Amino acid sequence: MLSDTQRATLAATLPAVEGALTEITPRFYRGLFDAHPNLLDNLFNRTHQKSGEQPQALAGSVAAFARLQLEPDVRRQRFILDRIAHKHASLGVTADQYKVVHQHLFAAIVEVLGDAVTPEVADAWDQLYWDMADLLIASESDLYAAAGVEPGQVWREVRVTDRVQVSPDTIALTVAALDGGDLPGFRPGQYISVQVPLSDGAQQIRQYSLTGSPVDAQWRFSVKLAGEVSAHLHENVFEGDILRVSTPFGDLVLPDDDAPLLLASAGIGCTPVIGLLTALSEKGDARPVTVLHADRSRDRQPHRGMLAALVDSLPTGRLIQWYENTSPHIVSDSVRVGQMSLDNVEVHPESNVMLCGPTGFLSSMREEFLGRDIAESRIHYETFGPELLRSGAR
């Protein structure tokens, strides 16, 4: 834990370090991958590395955690750490890997900041790193224990039993245990990691939300054509093939209370919503449930029929959808043109709001819900891509 002296040093140096993080994190990843190329091929998402999204996400996480040590916000800290811990657990991250990250991250800090990294500065930032790492290691250990697996031992082979085209660029896969038994249960809204062999020998990983019932013997997930892993699944994986997948993880799950629910998604972000709605439908849940979905067009919308059927099955469910391109004759109160907006949408002030989609969609809709006086603690989300945690955001 940071001492008062270390905290004062952190406060004095945070602006300089925060300002340099966009230079530090790319250097960190270059050093890490030069020393351990297998990590780039078999653990980190190469697409997000090339785009710069992953270095930005790391910089945002470090800066946000640092500021939370100076301006404590337990709920915000728990939110950040839980999100990272679930992602790490789904990848099989273990405690020893934090030492490797520490070595290359601090080498990058020294390389960028030079003589400004005095022994006192190094000591404060070293303590900050291990404070964050120790909290994550403990959380990940709890997640592994709850899943009934040893740390890092999250992978299993499954067989594809069904493949369905659910939109022009999206497929749905069903997988089963090789021994014919039941796959482990999961909480609605959770995801699995899928690792595939690519032509250059890399074993790349991506997460996909589970869309079936948590009591089913098999798992179902949908894959939109985007990125190396998804392209491989679209082009090469069919009924009877074997896949390597992880134990389910993820913290976007149904709240414990019975408050009204509002589920808002964009594009393939509908998949965790499908999982949540499936559970609600099976229980005959009577709470008010409002589902908002945005897509480019009806013909390219994945699971369009399933989404509508699940909402219809709920006693108090309602569905409003937005399309950027659609025929004017179908426009109504429940089918709208353009991007999602809360204009003319009734939102109960005590609603639990769950957002699923790309970062731009999440950011804009979060602001709209805050503008409707929805408490920040009631807004939950799942981002499809690296999460850009900015130090000033909440």
Side-chain angles (χ1 to χ4, degrees), residues 232-254:
H232 175 90
L233 294 172
H234 271 254
E235 296 166 9
N236 300 290
V237 175
F238 296 87
E239 294 88 343
D241 290 338
I242 304 298
L243 281 179
R244 191 165 189 251
V245 304
S246 77
T247 300
F249 292 100
D251 61 342
L252 186 78
V253 295
L254 289 172

Side-chain angles (χ1 to χ4, degrees), residues 60-101:
S61 298
V62 171
F65 186 79
R67 287 205 171 274
L68 287 170
Q69 308 320 296
L70 304 177
E71 303 170 10
D73 182 335
V74 175
R75 189 196 65 81
R76 175 64 176 164
Q77 177 171 295
R78 191 71 263 165
F79 170 83
I80 293 173
L81 295 178
D82 283 350
R83 184 59 48 90
I84 296 172
H86 276 274
K87 291 291 186 184
H88 282 183
S90 77
L91 297 170
V93 169
T94 53
D96 59 299
Q97 290 172 312
Y98 283 90
K99 297 177 182 177
V100 176
V101 169

Side-chain angles (χ1 to χ4, degrees), residues 127-190:
Q127 185 63 52
L128 176 79
Y129 174 85
W130 284 113
D131 282 353
M132 185 174 183
D134 288 343
L135 289 169
L136 286 170
I137 290 168
S139 293
E140 290 152 21
S141 178
D142 290 343
L143 290 174
Y144 291 137
V149 299
E150 292 297 316
Q153 302 304 304
V154 298
W155 297 99
R156 71 178 69 229
E157 288 190 332
V158 294
R159 189 181 306 278
V160 178
T161 59
D162 191 38
R163 171 178 164 140
V164 178
Q165 196 83 28
V166 295
S167 81
D169 58 359
T170 306
I171 58 173
L173 298 175
T174 303
V175 299
L178 295 184
D179 62 5
D182 291 356
L183 289 172
F186 57 91
R187 297 184 69 184
Q190 291 191 311

Side-chain angles (χ1 to χ4, degrees), residues 2 23 42 78 104-105 108 181 216 230 306 341 375:
L2 286 165
E23 185 179 355
N42 303 332
R78 191 71 263 165
H104 292 283
L105 180 58
D216 284 350
S230 297
M306 180 182 290
S341 166

Side-chain angles (χ1 to χ4, degrees), residues 2 6 9-10 13 17 21 23-29 31-32 58 62 65-66 97-133:
L2 286 165
Q6 290 169 328
T9 302
L10 181 67
T13 56
V17 174
L21 278 171
E23 185 179 355
I24 290 169
T25 50
R27 287 176 184 253
F28 153 69
Y29 280 116
L32 178 67
L58 175 62
V62 171
F65 186 79
Q97 290 172 312
Y98 283 90
K99 297 177 182 177
V100 176
V101 169
H102 175 269
Q103 174 190 348
H104 292 283
L105 180 58
F106 275 75
I109 290 174
V110 172
E111 185 179 352
V112 172
L113 298 180
D115 292 341
V117 185
T118 64
E120 293 77 17
V121 171
D123 176 67
W125 283 90
D126 187 76
Q127 185 63 52
L128 176 79
Y129 174 85
W130 284 113
D131 282 353
M132 185 174 183

Side-chain angles (χ1 to χ4, degrees), residues 139-360:
S139 293
E140 290 152 21
S141 178
D142 290 343
L143 290 174
Y144 291 137
V149 299
E150 292 297 316
Q153 302 304 304
V154 298
W155 297 99
R156 71 178 69 229
E157 288 190 332
V158 294
R159 189 181 306 278
V160 178
T161 59
D162 191 38
R163 171 178 164 140
V164 178
Q165 196 83 28
V166 295
S167 81
D169 58 359
T170 306
I171 58 173
L173 298 175
T174 303
V175 299
L178 295 184
D179 62 5
D182 291 356
L183 289 172
F186 57 91
R187 297 184 69 184
Q190 291 191 311
Y191 52 79
I192 57 173
S193 290
V194 178
Q195 186 178 59
V196 302
L198 301 179
S199 58
D200 62 359
Q203 302 275 337
Q204 282 283 281
I205 301 171
R206 186 164 178 179
Q207 285 85 31
Y208 299 98
S209 298
L210 294 166
T211 58
S213 168
V215 298
D216 284 350
Q218 301 183 345
W219 291 341
R220 294 198 299 277
F221 61 94
S222 296
V223 182
K224 183 175 181 178
L225 184 57
E228 291 184 297
V229 176
S230 297
H232 175 90
L233 294 172
H234 271 254
E235 296 166 9
N236 300 290
V237 175
F238 296 87
E239 294 88 343
D241 290 338
I242 304 298
L243 281 179
R244 191 165 189 251
V245 304
S246 77
T247 300
F249 292 100
D251 61 342
L252 186 78
V253 295
L254 289 172
D256 294 330
D257 61 29
D258 293 324
L261 277 175
L262 193 149
L263 312 177
S265 59
I268 198 61
C270 69
T271 52
V273 170
I274 294 287
L276 295 168
L277 289 173
T278 297
L280 292 169
S281 178
E282 289 179 345
K283 292 192 307 180
D285 200 297
R287 82 184 84 181
V289 179
T290 299
V291 179
L292 312 179
H293 181 75
D295 231 299
R296 293 190 182 281
S297 60
R298 296 175 81 203
D299 65 307
R300 305 196 73 82
Q301 179 182 353
H303 297 298
R304 179 171 55 84
M306 180 182 290
L307 185 67
L310 285 169
V311 175
D312 283 345
S313 73
L314 298 174
T316 56
R318 63 169 179 157
L319 173 65
I320 304 175
Q321 300 184 89
W322 285 258
Y323 299 104
E324 294 180 26
N325 302 299
T326 194
S327 174
H329 78 272
I330 68 163
V331 174
S332 65
D333 185 56
S334 60
V335 178
R336 305 180 184 185
V337 178
Q339 298 183 336
M340 186 182 295
S341 166
L342 295 185
D343 292 344
N344 299 316
V345 176
E346 183 181 351
V347 180
H348 192 287
E350 297 300 315
S351 294
N352 284 313
V353 175
M354 309 184 81
L355 306 175
C356 313
T359 53

